[in-house]
Amino acid sequence: MGVTVHRLSRRAILLGGAGLVGSAGLAATLTGCSTTDATHGSTHPIGPVPSASPSAGQGLVQKSLVARETTLDLGGPTVATWAYGDTVPGALIRAKAGDFLRISLENKLPADTSIHWHGLRLRNAADGVPGLTQDAVKQGDRFVYEFTAPDPGTYFFHPHVGVQLDRALYAPLVIEDPNEPGGHDDEWVVVLDDWVDGTGRTPDDVLKKLVDDGGGSHDMGGMGGGHDMGGHDMGGGGTAMAPWGDAGDVTYPHFLVNGRVPAAPERFTAKPGQKVRLRIINAASDTIFTVALGGHRMTLTHTDGHPVVPREVGAFHIGMGERYDAVVTLADGVFPLVAAPFGKTSGGQAMAVVRTGAGSPPAADVRPAELSGEVFIGSQLLPAESAKLPDRVPDATLQLSLDGSMKPYVWGMNGAPFGKNDPLTVQQGQRLRIDVTNQTMMTHPLHLHGHTFALPSGLRKDTVLLAPMQRLAIDLDADNVGRWAVHCHNIYHAEAGMMTELRYTES
Ligand code: C2O
Ligand code: CU
C-alpha cells in the first residue's frame, strides 16, 4: 500500500487528533463518495454561543467544573491524569427533569476541550461538539453550558475532543423524575471504566500506536473489509457465547468501578432486605462489560433514561455509552458487584462490594456464578408504554453503514471517515428511519446526540450495540434543530473517523 501524506483534515481538527491522520494508508482506504470538506460546512469559527436563561419558576442548578491535570489514587495505582477536580469519576451532578442547568467549565488542561452531555435532548448550542456546535474551549478559557434537561434518566458527561474520555474526564449526571413513585430505599450510581492513563501510556499514545501498527504493510482489505480476529481470546470475560465478536482494540491494565481497582473496591453499605436502585453507566472507551451482582438477580427498569418493561436478569451486557438502571433487593452478607470486560484476558475485572452484614470481603478476581449463566442483551428489553414513540410511517429513510478495519486503523461511516463522509440530512418534523448496517467484524456502540431513537421493538435508546454484520433500523422524530454528532462510542473508533453528522436542512 502506498504511503500518502495527508494534510491535517477537518476531522482531525474537530476531534483534536493532532497529526494522527497523517499516517500511511488513510487516503488509500477511502472508498466511494469522498466528498469535499465544503459539504461539512464552514471552517470559520462558530463564535460565542448565545446564552440562555431559566424561565420563571424553573429550577436552576449551577455548578463550576475545572478540568485540570492531577494525580489520582485508584486504590493502589497512582496515576497522573486529567480530571474534573481531583476525583474520578468527577462529582455527580443531580437535577430534576425540567430544571435549567448552568455549568461553567474552566479549562486548565494542556489542551483544548469541551463537555458533551451524553444522552440529553438539549439545545444544540450546549451539546459540546467542537466544529459542530461550538469552538473548542481553549487552554485557560471558560465556557458556560446553559440548557434545560427535559427528560429524567441516568446520563453522564465527558469531553468531545480527541480521546480525552479515556482520561478521568467523565462524571455521572442524574436527572430525577419528579413524578416517579420511587419505592426504593437507596440509590447507588455505578460508573464503569477501562483505565490506561498514567500507567506509562496516555490515551493519545494508545491511539497513535493503533494507527502506527495499522499502517502500511498488513492491509486487511480496507474500509468495508474484515477485522483481524486473531488478536484476542474470545473466551474471556465469562461471556464466550455473546455475539460481540472481537474484544476491543486496547489492552488495559485496570478496570474500575467508581474510580477504584478491585483490590481496594468501593463499598456500598445497606441493610438486608433494602431495595436499591442501581444506576449503571459504562464510561469506558473500548470495553463492553458483563455486569452481575453476586448472589442476586437484578430487575432492569430503565435504559438510557427510558423506562422498560421490568426484566429480571442474572447478568447483562453494557456497551460504551449505555446506561441501565436496575432494582435489587439486597440479601444479608457481603457481595461483589462485578463488571467483567468482554473478551479481554488481561487487566482483570472491575469490582465493587455491597455489604449488608457479616462476611469477609471478596477477592479481586471473584467470579459470581451469575456470570456463567444467561447473560442478557439490553437491546432485547421491551419499552414501557410511556416510552414508545407514537406509531407513524417514516417520512424518510437513510442508510448508514459502519465501516473500517484495524489494519489500516481507519473507521468510518457511509464509506469514509468523518470529514469525508456526507452528513445525514433531515427536516424538522419528519419521522426519520436510519437503516444501520455494521459492515465490520467488530461490535460498535452507535450513539446519536440530541435525540433518542426507537428500535424495531419500540425500545427507546440513545446508544445501541451493533454486533458484527448486524443490521438495525432506528426511528426518530426530528424535533431538535441543529447539527448533531452520530458516532461509535468506542472513542478510538470515533477519533479514527467512525462519526458523521445528522444535520437539519430547510427543505
Ligand atoms: Cu458520549 Cu458523542 O458522545
Ligand atoms: Cu466502533
mmCIF file of all heavy atoms in Angstrom, residues 444-475:
data_model
loop_
_atom_site.group_PDB
_atom_site.id
_atom_site.type_symbol
_atom_site.label_atom_id
_atom_site.label_comp_id
_atom_site.label_asym_id
_atom_site.label_seq_id
_atom_site.Cartn_x
_atom_site.Cartn_y
_atom_site.Cartn_z
ATOM 1 N N HIS A 444 -19.974 -2.292 17.570
ATOM 2 C CA HIS A 444 -19.862 -0.844 17.747
ATOM 3 C C HIS A 444 -21.083 -0.313 18.496
ATOM 4 O O HIS A 444 -22.217 -0.580 18.083
ATOM 5 C CB HIS A 444 -19.785 -0.125 16.392
ATOM 6 C CG HIS A 444 -18.686 -0.633 15.516
ATOM 7 N ND1 HIS A 444 -17.365 -0.271 15.693
ATOM 8 C CD2 HIS A 444 -18.699 -1.503 14.484
ATOM 9 C CE1 HIS A 444 -16.626 -0.888 14.788
ATOM 10 N NE2 HIS A 444 -17.404 -1.649 14.049
ATOM 11 N N PRO A 445 -20.884 0.461 19.547
ATOM 12 C CA PRO A 445 -21.999 1.153 20.188
ATOM 13 C C PRO A 445 -22.309 2.431 19.420
ATOM 14 O O PRO A 445 -21.517 3.369 19.417
ATOM 15 C CB PRO A 445 -21.481 1.470 21.599
ATOM 16 C CG PRO A 445 -19.996 1.315 21.556
ATOM 17 C CD PRO A 445 -19.609 0.650 20.274
ATOM 18 N N LEU A 446 -23.469 2.452 18.756
ATOM 19 C CA LEU A 446 -23.852 3.620 17.955
ATOM 20 C C LEU A 446 -24.572 4.620 18.852
ATOM 21 O O LEU A 446 -25.534 4.273 19.535
ATOM 22 C CB LEU A 446 -24.782 3.178 16.819
ATOM 23 C CG LEU A 446 -25.255 4.320 15.917
ATOM 24 C CD1 LEU A 446 -24.112 4.809 15.035
ATOM 25 C CD2 LEU A 446 -26.436 3.871 15.060
ATOM 26 N N HIS A 447 -24.110 5.858 18.803
ATOM 27 C CA HIS A 447 -24.672 6.910 19.665
ATOM 28 C C HIS A 447 -25.116 8.093 18.822
ATOM 29 O O HIS A 447 -24.382 8.537 17.943
ATOM 30 C CB HIS A 447 -23.620 7.351 20.693
ATOM 31 C CG HIS A 447 -24.051 8.495 21.560
ATOM 32 N ND1 HIS A 447 -25.247 8.503 22.238
ATOM 33 C CD2 HIS A 447 -23.448 9.675 21.863
ATOM 34 C CE1 HIS A 447 -25.353 9.647 22.927
ATOM 35 N NE2 HIS A 447 -24.281 10.372 22.706
ATOM 36 N N LEU A 448 -26.308 8.599 19.125
ATOM 37 C CA LEU A 448 -26.854 9.780 18.448
ATOM 38 C C LEU A 448 -27.033 10.895 19.466
ATOM 39 O O LEU A 448 -27.605 10.671 20.533
ATOM 40 C CB LEU A 448 -28.214 9.409 17.821
ATOM 41 C CG LEU A 448 -29.079 10.574 17.322
ATOM 42 C CD1 LEU A 448 -28.406 11.310 16.169
ATOM 43 C CD2 LEU A 448 -30.458 10.056 16.901
ATOM 44 N N HIS A 449 -26.568 12.063 19.128
ATOM 45 C CA HIS A 449 -26.719 13.220 20.019
ATOM 46 C C HIS A 449 -28.087 13.888 19.858
ATOM 47 O O HIS A 449 -28.649 13.899 18.754
ATOM 48 C CB HIS A 449 -25.664 14.275 19.691
ATOM 49 C CG HIS A 449 -24.273 13.931 20.114
ATOM 50 N ND1 HIS A 449 -23.330 14.896 20.409
ATOM 51 C CD2 HIS A 449 -23.645 12.755 20.303
ATOM 52 C CE1 HIS A 449 -22.187 14.330 20.746
ATOM 53 N NE2 HIS A 449 -22.342 13.017 20.684
ATOM 54 N N GLY A 450 -28.578 14.481 20.938
ATOM 55 C CA GLY A 450 -29.711 15.409 20.876
ATOM 56 C C GLY A 450 -31.083 14.791 20.680
ATOM 57 O O GLY A 450 -32.081 15.507 20.649
ATOM 58 N N HIS A 451 -31.144 13.479 20.532
ATOM 59 C CA HIS A 451 -32.396 12.776 20.249
ATOM 60 C C HIS A 451 -32.327 11.411 20.933
ATOM 61 O O HIS A 451 -31.255 10.955 21.294
ATOM 62 C CB HIS A 451 -32.560 12.492 18.744
ATOM 63 C CG HIS A 451 -32.519 13.707 17.878
ATOM 64 N ND1 HIS A 451 -31.360 14.390 17.618
ATOM 65 C CD2 HIS A 451 -33.502 14.359 17.204
ATOM 66 C CE1 HIS A 451 -31.632 15.423 16.834
ATOM 67 N NE2 HIS A 451 -32.917 15.420 16.566
ATOM 68 N N THR A 452 -33.470 10.773 21.014
ATOM 69 C CA THR A 452 -33.424 9.341 21.281
ATOM 70 C C THR A 452 -34.127 8.653 20.121
ATOM 71 O O THR A 452 -34.888 9.275 19.392
ATOM 72 C CB THR A 452 -34.098 8.953 22.601
ATOM 73 O OG1 THR A 452 -35.474 9.308 22.526
ATOM 74 C CG2 THR A 452 -33.450 9.661 23.773
ATOM 75 N N PHE A 453 -33.831 7.386 19.960
ATOM 76 C CA PHE A 453 -34.414 6.657 18.840
ATOM 77 C C PHE A 453 -35.116 5.410 19.356
ATOM 78 O O PHE A 453 -34.891 4.978 20.487
ATOM 79 C CB PHE A 453 -33.349 6.302 17.800
ATOM 80 C CG PHE A 453 -32.093 5.667 18.343
ATOM 81 C CD1 PHE A 453 -32.079 4.333 18.721
ATOM 82 C CD2 PHE A 453 -30.912 6.406 18.468
ATOM 83 C CE1 PHE A 453 -30.917 3.738 19.216
ATOM 84 C CE2 PHE A 453 -29.747 5.817 18.964
ATOM 85 C CZ PHE A 453 -29.752 4.489 19.336
ATOM 86 N N ALA A 454 -35.975 4.866 18.506
ATOM 87 C CA ALA A 454 -36.686 3.637 18.847
ATOM 88 C C ALA A 454 -36.139 2.493 18.000
ATOM 89 O O ALA A 454 -35.951 2.639 16.787
ATOM 90 C CB ALA A 454 -38.177 3.801 18.594
ATOM 91 N N LEU A 455 -35.878 1.364 18.645
ATOM 92 C CA LEU A 455 -35.529 0.138 17.914
ATOM 93 C C LEU A 455 -36.822 -0.444 17.331
ATOM 94 O O LEU A 455 -37.924 -0.009 17.675
ATOM 95 C CB LEU A 455 -34.886 -0.869 18.875
ATOM 96 C CG LEU A 455 -33.673 -0.377 19.683
ATOM 97 C CD1 LEU A 455 -33.054 -1.538 20.456
ATOM 98 C CD2 LEU A 455 -32.645 0.283 18.787
ATOM 99 N N PRO A 456 -36.725 -1.451 16.464
ATOM 100 C CA PRO A 456 -37.955 -2.042 15.909
ATOM 101 C C PRO A 456 -38.937 -2.519 16.986
ATOM 102 O O PRO A 456 -40.150 -2.482 16.795
ATOM 103 C CB PRO A 456 -37.425 -3.196 15.054
ATOM 104 C CG PRO A 456 -36.064 -2.724 14.617
ATOM 105 C CD PRO A 456 -35.511 -1.957 15.797
ATOM 106 N N SER A 457 -38.432 -2.923 18.139
ATOM 107 C CA SER A 457 -39.308 -3.348 19.240
ATOM 108 C C SER A 457 -39.993 -2.168 19.899
ATOM 109 O O SER A 457 -40.868 -2.350 20.750
ATOM 110 C CB SER A 457 -38.470 -4.052 20.309
ATOM 111 O OG SER A 457 -37.549 -3.112 20.874
ATOM 112 N N GLY A 458 -39.558 -0.952 19.582
ATOM 113 C CA GLY A 458 -40.073 0.226 20.266
ATOM 114 C C GLY A 458 -39.165 0.701 21.388
ATOM 115 O O GLY A 458 -39.354 1.792 21.924
ATOM 116 N N LEU A 459 -38.198 -0.108 21.781
ATOM 117 C CA LEU A 459 -37.298 0.277 22.870
ATOM 118 C C LEU A 459 -36.596 1.591 22.530
ATOM 119 O O LEU A 459 -36.027 1.741 21.451
ATOM 120 C CB LEU A 459 -36.250 -0.822 23.112
ATOM 121 C CG LEU A 459 -35.302 -0.551 24.285
ATOM 122 C CD1 LEU A 459 -36.038 -0.633 25.618
ATOM 123 C CD2 LEU A 459 -34.119 -1.519 24.272
ATOM 124 N N ARG A 460 -36.648 2.524 23.461
ATOM 125 C CA ARG A 460 -36.031 3.831 23.238
ATOM 126 C C ARG A 460 -34.629 3.849 23.819
ATOM 127 O O ARG A 460 -34.411 3.475 24.961
ATOM 128 C CB ARG A 460 -36.862 4.918 23.920
ATOM 129 C CG ARG A 460 -38.167 5.187 23.240
ATOM 130 C CD ARG A 460 -38.000 5.984 21.958
ATOM 131 N NE ARG A 460 -37.771 7.409 22.190
ATOM 132 C CZ ARG A 460 -38.691 8.266 22.597
ATOM 133 N NH1 ARG A 460 -39.923 7.850 22.841
ATOM 134 N NH2 ARG A 460 -38.404 9.535 22.760
ATOM 135 N N LYS A 461 -33.688 4.335 23.028
ATOM 136 C CA LYS A 461 -32.294 4.405 23.459
ATOM 137 C C LYS A 461 -31.610 5.578 22.776
ATOM 138 O O LYS A 461 -32.130 6.141 21.823
ATOM 139 C CB LYS A 461 -31.549 3.098 23.108
ATOM 140 C CG LYS A 461 -32.003 1.934 23.990
ATOM 141 C CD LYS A 461 -31.156 0.683 23.867
ATOM 142 C CE LYS A 461 -29.726 0.810 24.276
ATOM 143 N NZ LYS A 461 -29.476 0.911 25.716
ATOM 144 N N ASP A 462 -30.426 5.925 23.275
ATOM 145 C CA ASP A 462 -29.572 6.854 22.537
ATOM 146 C C ASP A 462 -28.242 6.213 22.170
ATOM 147 O O ASP A 462 -27.440 6.814 21.453
ATOM 148 C CB ASP A 462 -29.362 8.159 23.316
ATOM 149 C CG ASP A 462 -28.780 7.945 24.702
ATOM 150 O OD1 ASP A 462 -27.660 7.415 24.803
ATOM 151 O OD2 ASP A 462 -29.436 8.316 25.696
ATOM 152 N N THR A 463 -28.006 5.012 22.679
ATOM 153 C CA THR A 463 -26.772 4.290 22.369
ATOM 154 C C THR A 463 -27.133 2.818 22.261
ATOM 155 O O THR A 463 -27.768 2.273 23.171
ATOM 156 C CB THR A 463 -25.726 4.465 23.497
ATOM 157 O OG1 THR A 463 -25.593 5.849 23.805
ATOM 158 C CG2 THR A 463 -24.373 3.900 23.086
ATOM 159 N N VAL A 464 -26.738 2.177 21.164
ATOM 160 C CA VAL A 464 -27.115 0.768 20.999
ATOM 161 C C VAL A 464 -25.947 -0.007 20.396
ATOM 162 O O VAL A 464 -25.237 0.498 19.522
ATOM 163 C CB VAL A 464 -28.392 0.629 20.130
ATOM 164 C CG1 VAL A 464 -28.182 1.111 18.704
ATOM 165 C CG2 VAL A 464 -28.910 -0.811 20.137
ATOM 166 N N LEU A 465 -25.754 -1.220 20.919
ATOM 167 C CA LEU A 465 -24.675 -2.069 20.406
ATOM 168 C C LEU A 465 -25.107 -2.746 19.109
ATOM 169 O O LEU A 465 -26.165 -3.374 19.064
ATOM 170 C CB LEU A 465 -24.333 -3.158 21.430
ATOM 171 C CG LEU A 465 -23.534 -2.714 22.654
ATOM 172 C CD1 LEU A 465 -23.454 -3.855 23.675
ATOM 173 C CD2 LEU A 465 -22.127 -2.265 22.257
ATOM 174 N N LEU A 466 -24.270 -2.629 18.092
ATOM 175 C CA LEU A 466 -24.479 -3.393 16.860
ATOM 176 C C LEU A 466 -23.407 -4.452 16.740
ATOM 177 O O LEU A 466 -22.216 -4.135 16.623
ATOM 178 C CB LEU A 466 -24.457 -2.485 15.628
ATOM 179 C CG LEU A 466 -25.821 -1.875 15.312
ATOM 180 C CD1 LEU A 466 -25.879 -0.450 15.813
ATOM 181 C CD2 LEU A 466 -26.134 -1.953 13.839
ATOM 182 N N ALA A 467 -23.825 -5.705 16.768
ATOM 183 C CA ALA A 467 -22.898 -6.828 16.660
ATOM 184 C C ALA A 467 -22.326 -6.867 15.240
ATOM 185 O O ALA A 467 -22.856 -6.234 14.327
ATOM 186 C CB ALA A 467 -23.636 -8.122 16.985
ATOM 187 N N PRO A 468 -21.237 -7.636 15.047
ATOM 188 C CA PRO A 468 -20.648 -7.734 13.716
ATOM 189 C C PRO A 468 -21.703 -8.087 12.659
ATOM 190 O O PRO A 468 -22.492 -9.009 12.849
ATOM 191 C CB PRO A 468 -19.627 -8.866 13.856
ATOM 192 C CG PRO A 468 -19.215 -8.786 15.288
ATOM 193 C CD PRO A 468 -20.450 -8.371 16.043
ATOM 194 N N MET A 469 -21.743 -7.328 11.586
ATOM 195 C CA MET A 469 -22.619 -7.514 10.431
ATOM 196 C C MET A 469 -24.106 -7.352 10.756
ATOM 197 O O MET A 469 -24.960 -7.609 9.915
ATOM 198 C CB MET A 469 -22.378 -8.886 9.758
ATOM 199 C CG MET A 469 -20.932 -9.152 9.369
ATOM 200 S SD MET A 469 -20.126 -7.819 8.428
ATOM 201 C CE MET A 469 -20.937 -7.976 6.846
ATOM 202 N N GLN A 470 -24.429 -6.881 11.945
ATOM 203 C CA GLN A 470 -25.839 -6.693 12.303
ATOM 204 C C GLN A 470 -26.441 -5.512 11.542
ATOM 205 O O GLN A 470 -25.781 -4.504 11.300
ATOM 206 C CB GLN A 470 -25.991 -6.450 13.812
ATOM 207 C CG GLN A 470 -27.454 -6.423 14.263
ATOM 208 C CD GLN A 470 -27.606 -6.145 15.762
ATOM 209 O OE1 GLN A 470 -26.635 -6.196 16.525
ATOM 210 N NE2 GLN A 470 -28.821 -5.854 16.185
ATOM 211 N N ARG A 471 -27.723 -5.651 11.211
ATOM 212 C CA ARG A 471 -28.462 -4.567 10.587
ATOM 213 C C ARG A 471 -29.629 -4.204 11.500
ATOM 214 O O ARG A 471 -30.286 -5.084 12.053
ATOM 215 C CB ARG A 471 -28.978 -5.032 9.223
ATOM 216 C CG ARG A 471 -29.720 -3.969 8.471
ATOM 217 C CD ARG A 471 -29.976 -4.435 7.049
ATOM 218 N NE ARG A 471 -30.755 -3.403 6.359
ATOM 219 C CZ ARG A 471 -31.224 -3.554 5.133
ATOM 220 N NH1 ARG A 471 -30.998 -4.669 4.466
ATOM 221 N NH2 ARG A 471 -31.918 -2.591 4.570
ATOM 222 N N LEU A 472 -29.861 -2.927 11.668
ATOM 223 C CA LEU A 472 -30.870 -2.480 12.630
ATOM 224 C C LEU A 472 -31.466 -1.163 12.151
ATOM 225 O O LEU A 472 -30.735 -0.245 11.801
ATOM 226 C CB LEU A 472 -30.184 -2.268 13.994
ATOM 227 C CG LEU A 472 -31.065 -1.886 15.169
ATOM 228 C CD1 LEU A 472 -31.952 -3.057 15.575
ATOM 229 C CD2 LEU A 472 -30.201 -1.480 16.364
ATOM 230 N N ALA A 473 -32.806 -1.084 12.137
ATOM 231 C CA ALA A 473 -33.455 0.175 11.765
ATOM 232 C C ALA A 473 -33.812 0.937 13.033
ATOM 233 O O ALA A 473 -34.425 0.384 13.943
ATOM 234 C CB ALA A 473 -34.711 -0.102 10.949
ATOM 235 N N ILE A 474 -33.420 2.192 13.083
ATOM 236 C CA ILE A 474 -33.782 3.025 14.233
ATOM 237 C C ILE A 474 -34.636 4.188 13.728
ATOM 238 O O ILE A 474 -34.374 4.758 12.676
ATOM 239 C CB ILE A 474 -32.549 3.525 15.007
ATOM 240 C CG1 ILE A 474 -31.609 4.353 14.129
ATOM 241 C CG2 ILE A 474 -31.795 2.338 15.610
ATOM 242 C CD1 ILE A 474 -30.445 4.985 14.899
ATOM 243 N N ASP A 475 -35.669 4.513 14.505
ATOM 244 C CA ASP A 475 -36.590 5.595 14.126
ATOM 245 C C ASP A 475 -36.476 6.742 15.120
ATOM 246 O O ASP A 475 -36.368 6.513 16.329
ATOM 247 C CB ASP A 475 -38.040 5.092 14.149
ATOM 248 C CG ASP A 475 -38.364 4.211 12.944
ATOM 249 O OD1 ASP A 475 -37.432 3.885 12.174
ATOM 250 O OD2 ASP A 475 -39.538 3.836 12.804
#
